[in-house]
Amino acid sequence: GAVVSQHPSRVICKSGTSVKIECRSLDFQATTMFWYRQFPKKSLMLMATSNEGSKATYEQGVEKDKFLINHASLTLSTLTVTSAHPEDSSFYICSATPGTSADTQYFGPGTRLTVL
Amino acid sequence: RKEVEQDPGPFNVPEGATVAFNCTYSNSASQSFFWYRQDCRKEPKLLMSVYSSGNEDGRFTAQLNRASQYISLLIRDSKLSDSATYLCVVNGPGGYQKVTFGTGTKLQVIP
């Protein structure tokens, strides 16, 4: 099956620093990648949708200047949490889809961010 | 009304039992429906898609009721390894590719 990797799997940083999370589709080209955030005991919340070569589409309430998304190639999307604060601590998960079909979203293993 | 609603549980069932979860959705224009499984601190994994005619995969059966806007998941002969959170996923609103996750129903299968 299709494999999506995320790096790092876990990161601890100080408040005010920026953190970059990478999402890679390893054996397919991802026309679209999604970034989700999941707080403890809550569901996944879509943050943004990114298509290769174009600007990401952010969900309502998600600050585009704080969560920078770059989808520079068909196999890589990055999420940068700028000036992180403790309330940004969460589980960030990306997913990738090779086409237009919603049922082929493949999820990365997630990145657990802790901001001190 | 939430876009996708699930009973959070937990559902504590003995091994071998049959258990069913329901999920309601608010967008009548939704076309695609899925059940995902998520283990603790792991990413979600697709369990099965839900088709209009219903579908079955081994011990798992999924049904769609468009009139009442809900989908269901039935698990027969529960195994300890079935213990997880089951997420109901519905496509839309906002486009065909976007999906909305329910908050999940936690299942604990007890020996």
Side-chain angles (χ1 to χ4, degrees):
Chain A
V3 179
V4 175
S5 70
Q6 264 185 257
H7 178 81
S9 58
R10 185 183 298 268
V11 58
I12 300 172
C13 69
K14 291 182 179 179
S15 186
T17 59
S18 294
V19 175
K20 180 186 280 188
I21 302 170
E22 291 185 349
C23 176
R24 292 181 186 272
S25 56
L26 298 185
D27 51 2
F28 67 97
Q29 293 187 323
T31 53
T32 305
M33 287 184 169
F34 303 87
W35 286 96
Y36 296 86
R37 181 167 52 182
Q38 187 175 33
F39 292 106
K41 299 188 178 181
K42 299 290 185 183
S43 186
L44 278 77
M45 297 297 296
L46 180 65
M47 299 175 67
T49 303
S50 75
N51 292 292
E52 185 266 338
S54 61
K55 289 184 179 179
T57 302
Y58 289 81
E59 294 301 298
Q60 191 173 12
V62 178
E63 300 174 59
K64 60 180 67 176
D65 294 331
K66 181 169 182 61
F67 298 99
L68 301 178
I69 291 172
N70 185 292
H71 193 160
S73 76
L74 284 171
T75 58
L76 174 64
S77 176
T78 60
L79 168 69
T80 301
V81 183
T82 62
S83 187
H85 289 100
E87 57 266 29
D88 298 324
S89 299
S90 186
F91 193 46
Y92 292 87
I93 305 177
C94 73
S95 73
T97 179
T100 57
S101 180
D103 64 350
T104 50
Q105 280 197 41
Y106 301 99
F107 285 85
T111 297
R112 188 162 300 281
L113 171 64
T114 302
V115 185
L116 302 175
Chain B
R1 182 182 176 186
K2 289 184 181 177
E3 292 173 20
V4 179
E5 270 192 275
Q6 291 182 253
D7 180 344
F11 284 62
N12 297 312
V13 303
E15 262 186 297
T18 295
V19 62
F21 312 133
N22 278 347
C23 164
T24 58
Y25 61 94
S26 62
N27 184 2
S28 59
S30 295
Q31 293 294 321
S32 302
F33 310 89
F34 316 93
W35 283 103
Y36 277 74
R37 170 196 169 125
Q38 186 174 26
D39 293 290
C40 189
R41 302 171 80 89
K42 300 284 188 183
E43 76 278 20
K45 292 188 187 296
L46 179 66
L47 181 64
M48 58 197 309
S49 302
V50 187
Y51 304 122
S52 296
S53 56
N55 50 311
E56 186 173 315
D57 182 4
R59 298 182 293 109
F60 299 84
T61 301
Q63 298 279 355
L64 167 63
N65 186 315
R66 284 191 185 275
S68 300
Q69 293 183 206
Y70 76 85
I71 66 173
S72 64
L73 177 68
L74 180 79
I75 305 175
R76 290 181 296 278
D77 188 23
S78 299
K79 311 288 184 192
L80 294 176
S81 56
D82 294 333
S83 298
T85 296
Y86 291 83
L87 304 172
C88 168
V89 181
V90 178
N91 91 304
Y96 182 54
Q97 285 184 306
K98 286 180 54 173
V99 296
T100 301
F101 284 79
T103 51
T105 297
K106 187 171 182 178
L107 171 66
Q108 186 68 49
V109 181
I110 305 164

